[in-house]
């Protein structure tokens, strides 16, 4: 077994950036306060000193400029990794992501791939209010040409980030900031990749399949532990790569359990849970013992004071699990 | 048939006149096809052709040219073969972009050209990033972004000029076409930290000289330049007769050039139209490097051929 070290999730991100930059001079970082300051969440701490200002670039506070510049750098032949300080601020760069980054390969007939990995923290529960808490994955999954990744453990954060950067497609790398420091685990030392497009079985059980990503994974783990004490065994599947989704892993699990509960922070309507639900229905209809259920944020703007009322809770997940089992 | 002359320094005016005649012929054809519904909308360059061509001729072949679908003349001058321009406009198999863009939205990696029919100014930010990368690598390449007057009102412009200026990006921004909305550029450069060079957009030699100087500045690491090459109120067409007066070519030679251009265009069009169509199955290709399961054949994505 390879050597490991104990890291939290944000330290694992830093480690992944270090590894990718060390191995490939074309990998450069750009973003607001990511250089000398080391990033608002310290994800790039120490990289400016190590790799210099030409590879760890402090930019003006302009998200369209950051993402647009990254596209130009990728067209030149670099492998830029822009950071958007909070995903809530990604929208000024939305046109560049949806209309340019996602389409460059396609509209050029494959001549101009755009290997840009956009790192951005997502998720609520940190007293961040409307503009520091959102989970925008569905917008990007809905856009052909983008890959969307969201790790839930330090090991996956490092391995998936290195894979994303080395991938020739654009990647939205969504970092669950509520567990940046809560998620702690063993991470392989040195060069290490986790392949994109492969789900992780977090826990195995025969009664219900829970599908969750990011900060919802530890929440589901707690719910699954409590359900087990009542004799209900849950499988927890973390897709890790939200798109392209590991559909086979989901189908295999739901065919076995016959029940599927999807948990995410983003609002319910047209959230990614809707798509997963449709896919499961299309492929597992005859195996289903109960309706597919979604436990999600509500269809309201993300609130400040009532954020814990908004976010899925262990109790809401347990309720969905019990309803599915007793249907 | 490719760009008319390989060495523009030899006689720039002659090159400009020749290319203008060739492009006028091309634009007449594409406008006619567009009006008849044979192809999608084609945005003519008109008098802005002169600045577009002169700018592209002043670049090195491995420089990257960014622009809009209106900048087809610059693409031709930067080396994109006429056959590929026609294949793109006609949506035929010879288009390296595989028929994905509207007429004029040329992408050509081999010749370093990316013209868009998207947001009017997004490409200027890409040019800034490309130029920033070129400054980091220092390999002698530059990025050139052509934009219209209308783009100056777009927020992307602020991002492009701001990022390029602070990064000493090897980027040349060229505003071409008519002056729109009364937007003047003189005096604004200081705010962005960009030197501005103002030249008449109908004076190809002046545009060529300005781009050459901007290119030298960029490669020397002195940063980006904004060239205001918009047209005066009453632009003067590129006049072969002026060229003749300078001892250029005769009226007889002029007629011969015209005949050659028309014949060449007919020949190129015929070759393109006789070529392969875009394959229906290619609809699902190039979305990603590899085709994921949801784009795989037999996933409900079959199309009529």
């Amino acid at each position: 077994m390879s050597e490991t070290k104990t890291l939290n999730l944000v330290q694992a991100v830093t480690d992944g950036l270090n590894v990718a930059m060390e191995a490939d001079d074309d990998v450069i970082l750009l973003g607001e306060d990511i250089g000398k300051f080391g990033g608002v969440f310290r994800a790039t701490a120490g990289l400016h000193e190590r790799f210099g200002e030409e590879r760890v670039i402090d930019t003006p506070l302009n998200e369209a400029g950051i993402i647009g510049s990254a596209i130009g750098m990728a067209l030149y032949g670099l492998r830029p990794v822009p950071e958007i300080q909070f995903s809530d601020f990604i929208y000024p760069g939305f046109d560049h992501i949806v209309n340019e980054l996602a389409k460059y390969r396609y509209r050029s007939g494959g001549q101009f791939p755009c290997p840009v990995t956009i790192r951005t923290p997502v998720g609520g529960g940190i007293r961040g209010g409307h503009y520091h808490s959102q989970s925008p994955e569905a917008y990007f999954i809905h856009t052909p040409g983008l890959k969307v990744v969201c790790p839930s453990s330090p090991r996956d954060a490092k391995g998936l980030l290195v894979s994303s950067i080395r991938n020739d497609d654009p990647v939205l790398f969504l970092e669950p900031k509520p567990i940046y420091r809560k998620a702690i685990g063993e991470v392989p030392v040195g060069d290490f990749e986790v392949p994109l497009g492969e789900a992780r079985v977090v826990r195995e059980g025969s009664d219900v399949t829970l599908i969750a990503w990011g900060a919802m994974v530890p929440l589901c783990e707690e719910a699954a532990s409590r359900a087990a004490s009542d004799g209900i065994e849950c499988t927890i599947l973390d897709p890790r790569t939200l798109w392209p989704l590991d559909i086979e892993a989901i189908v295999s699990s739901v065919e076995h359990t016959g029940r599927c509960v999807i948990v995410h922070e983003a609002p319910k309507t047209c959230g990614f849970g809707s798509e997963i639900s449709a896919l499961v229905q299309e492929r597992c209809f005859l195996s289903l013992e109960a309706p597919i259920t979604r436990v999600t944020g509500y269809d309201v703007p993300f609130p400040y004071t009532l954020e814990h009322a908004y976010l899925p809770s262990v109790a809401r997940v347990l309720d969905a699990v019990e309803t599915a089992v007793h249907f | 048939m490719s760009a008319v002359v390989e060495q523009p320094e030899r006689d720039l005016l002659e090159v400009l006149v020749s290319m203008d005649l060739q492009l006028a012929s091309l634009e007449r054809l594409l406008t006619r096809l567009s009006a008849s519904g044979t192809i999608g909308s084609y945005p003519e360059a008109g008098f802005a052709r002169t600045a577009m061509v002169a700018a592209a001729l002043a670049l090195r072949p491995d420089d990257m040219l960014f622009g809009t679908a209106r900048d087809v003349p610059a693409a031709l001058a930067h080396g994109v073969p006429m056959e590929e321009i026609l294949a793109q406009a006609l949506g035929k198999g010879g288009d390296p972009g595989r028929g994905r863009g509207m007429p004029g939205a040329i992408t050509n990696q081999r010749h370093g050209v990316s013209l868009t029919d998207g947001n009017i100014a997004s490409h200027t930010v890409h040019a800034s990033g490309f130029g920033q990368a070129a400054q980091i690598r220092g390999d002698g390449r530059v990025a050139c972004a052509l934009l219209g007057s209308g783009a100056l009102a777009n927020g992307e412009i602020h991002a492009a000029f701001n990022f390029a200026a602070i990064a000493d990006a090897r980027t040349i921004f060229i505003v071409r076409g008519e002056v729109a909305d009364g937007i003047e550029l003189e005096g604004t450069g200081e705010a962005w930290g960009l030197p501005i060079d103002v030249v008449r957009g109908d004076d190809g030699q002046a545009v060529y000289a300005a781009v050459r100087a901007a290119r030298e500045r960029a490669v020397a690491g002195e940063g980006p330049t904004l060239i205001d090459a918009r047209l005066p109120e009453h632009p003067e067409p590129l006049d072969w007769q002026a060229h003749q007066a300078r001892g250029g070519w005769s009226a007889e030679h002029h007629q011969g050039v015209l005949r050659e251009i028309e014949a060449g265009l007919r020949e190129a069009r015929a070759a393109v139209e006789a070529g392969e169509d875009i394959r229906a199955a290619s609809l699902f290709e190039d979305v990603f490097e590899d085709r994921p399961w949801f784009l795989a054949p037999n996933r409900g994505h079959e199309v009529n051929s």
Side-chain angles (χ1 to χ4, degrees):
Chain A
M1 191 170 164
S2 62
E3 186 188 354
T4 64
K5 58 185 171 185
T6 306
L7 298 175
N8 65 32
L9 198 147
V10 74
Q11 289 170 329
V13 167
T14 314
D15 196 23
L17 292 171
N18 244 312
V19 163
M21 295 183 77
E22 195 172 64
D24 184 353
D25 286 345
D26 286 338
V27 177
I28 63 159
L29 316 184
L30 67 159
E32 300 164 2
D33 292 326
I34 67 155
K36 290 176 187 168
F37 184 64
V40 70
F41 289 104
R42 318 300 298 151
T44 52
L47 300 179
H48 184 268
E49 291 79 359
R50 181 167 184 205
F51 295 104
E53 62 184 12
E54 288 194 335
R55 294 188 65 197
V56 185
I57 301 167
D58 279 318
T59 68
L61 308 187
N62 184 318
E63 289 75 15
I66 293 168
I67 296 166
S69 293
I71 292 170
M73 291 171 172
L75 295 174
Y76 179 89
L78 302 184
R79 215 166 263 277
V81 185
E83 176 185 296
I84 299 299
Q85 208 167 71
F86 290 85
S87 65
D88 314 70
F89 303 137
I90 208 165
Y91 305 109
F94 199 65
D95 178 64
H96 281 287
I97 298 172
V98 169
N99 267 335
E100 308 291 343
L101 182 61
K103 293 177 175 59
Y104 234 114
R105 178 192 289 278
Y106 192 75
R107 78 175 178 86
S108 67
Q111 295 175 95
F112 291 114
C114 248
V116 175
T117 298
I118 301 173
R119 292 182 41 250
T120 189
V122 298
I126 60 154
R127 292 190 162 274
H130 300 309
Y131 302 118
H132 303 79
S133 306
Q134 296 171 71
S135 296
E137 64 270 14
Y139 295 120
F140 303 113
I141 293 167
H142 185 64
T143 302
L146 297 177
K147 291 181 176 173
V148 182
V149 174
C150 185
S152 65
S153 73
R155 185 179 188 280
D156 284 349
K158 176 178 177 179
L160 289 167
L161 180 56
V162 173
S163 292
S164 297
I165 292 169
R166 292 174 179 169
N167 193 272
D168 278 341
D169 293 312
V171 177
L172 266 292
F173 193 84
L174 310 179
E175 298 170 4
K177 62 180 177 291
I179 56 171
Y180 256 156
R181 289 178 173 79
K182 283 184 196 163
I184 297 170
E186 291 301 300
V187 177
V189 170
D191 208 312
F192 163 66
E193 295 183 27
V194 171
L196 301 185
E198 291 183 13
R200 175 169 71 101
V201 179
V202 179
R203 177 187 178 115
E204 285 192 275
S206 57
D207 297 320
V208 181
T209 299
L210 284 168
I211 301 171
W213 51 92
M216 293 295 97
V217 172
L219 183 94
C220 286
E221 285 185 276
E222 191 180 336
S225 293
R226 290 204 205 169
S229 65
D230 288 337
I232 300 172
E233 294 299 334
C234 298
T235 286
I236 301 174
L237 266 185
D238 174 2
R240 304 192 289 190
T241 302
L242 304 187
W243 203 252
L245 186 68
D246 185 352
I247 188 64
E248 296 306 329
I250 291 174
V251 167
S252 169
S253 177
V254 176
E255 281 180 344
H256 179 62
T257 63
R259 300 175 187 88
C260 178
V261 174
I262 305 153
V263 184
H264 62 65
E265 292 185 44
K268 189 174 201 173
T269 303
C270 289
F272 188 40
S274 310
E275 181 62 28
I276 295 175
S277 175
L279 287 166
V280 170
Q281 183 275 134
E282 285 168 4
R283 291 171 171 237
C284 306
F285 185 72
L286 296 177
S287 304
L288 289 172
E289 303 281 349
I292 302 160
T293 309
R294 289 170 288 163
V295 180
T296 69
Y298 296 111
D299 288 330
V300 299
F302 196 97
Y304 171 66
T305 307
L306 296 177
E307 65 177 347
H308 289 293
Y310 167 91
L311 288 166
S313 63
V314 171
R316 284 172 62 195
V317 174
L318 270 176
D319 186 51
V321 167
E322 285 169 8
T323 300
V325 169
H326 298 300
F327 180 76
Chain B
M1 191 164 63
S2 60
V4 174
V5 171
E6 300 292 334
Q7 298 171 307
E9 293 90 342
R10 201 184 61 210
D11 188 340
L12 181 60
L13 184 59
E14 182 165 325
V15 175
L16 289 169
V17 170
S18 300
M19 289 205 72
D20 194 66
L21 292 170
Q22 188 181 23
L23 285 159
S25 181
L26 172 69
E27 294 216 301
R28 277 195 300 275
L29 170 65
L30 296 183
T31 302
R32 201 166 63 239
L33 293 175
S34 178
S36 69
T38 306
I39 64 173
S41 177
Y42 173 75
E44 267 190 276
F47 280 123
R49 282 199 302 265
T50 304
M52 293 170 182
V53 170
L57 289 174
L59 299 175
R60 218 170 70 171
D62 60 349
D63 290 341
M64 184 74 190
L65 178 72
F66 294 89
T68 74
R70 201 178 292 278
D71 293 299
V72 167
L76 183 73
H78 200 45
V80 178
M82 180 63 85
E83 286 85 351
E84 291 182 13
I85 289 174
L86 282 170
Q88 194 278 332
L90 297 171
K92 295 290 288 186
D95 172 22
R98 307 183 83 184
R100 306 264 169 71
M102 285 179 69
I106 291 168
T107 50
N108 197 304
Q109 196 271 340
R110 194 159 39 95
H111 294 285
V113 173
S114 179
L115 309 183
T116 178
D117 54 343
N119 182 305
I120 195 166
S122 294
H123 66 286
T124 63
V125 193
H126 307 159
S128 172
F130 189 101
Q132 185 172 1
Q135 169 68 4
I136 292 168
R137 282 287 183 265
D139 67 354
R141 301 171 73 191
V142 306
C144 175
L146 291 159
L147 57 141
S149 237
L152 293 169
N154 192 287
E156 301 292 327
I157 287 295
H158 176 69
F161 291 178
N162 186 10
F163 275 62
I166 66 160
D168 286 332
R170 297 186 175 190
T171 306
I172 306 165
F173 300 102
I174 303 171
V175 192
R176 54 23 177 197
E178 295 174 5
V179 176
D181 305 324
I183 297 174
E184 294 298 339
L185 286 170
E186 271 184 305
T188 60
E190 200 175 331
W192 282 306
L194 277 176
I196 298 184
D197 196 354
V198 182
V199 293
R200 280 179 65 116
D202 58 352
D203 184 344
Q205 288 157 307
V207 174
Y208 180 88
V211 175
R212 270 290 160 106
R215 202 187 174 289
E216 282 176 23
R217 248 190 112 244
V219 173
E222 293 170 15
T225 303
L226 173 58
I227 297 173
D228 184 356
R230 287 176 294 174
L231 295 164
E233 195 173 351
H234 301 291
E236 294 177 7
L238 260 180
D239 192 349
W240 69 269
Q241 288 172 314
H243 180 47
Q244 183 188 33
R246 291 174 64 243
W249 59 36
S250 64
E252 195 175 53
H253 180 73
H254 176 68
Q255 289 305 318
V257 169
L258 282 180
R259 279 195 297 275
E260 191 182 320
I261 285 172
E262 291 297 335
L265 196 57
R266 273 197 304 275
E267 191 182 316
R269 181 184 174 186
V272 165
E273 287 181 333
E276 288 183 3
D277 290 326
I278 304 287
R279 288 183 302 107
S282 71
L283 180 65
F284 307 115
E285 296 167 358
D286 307 318
V287 181
F288 296 100
E289 184 181 23
D290 301 313
R291 282 177 76 166
W293 59 267
F294 54 89
L295 293 177
N298 306 317
R299 290 296 320 159
H301 284 300
E302 293 78 10
V303 289
N304 297 325
S305 56

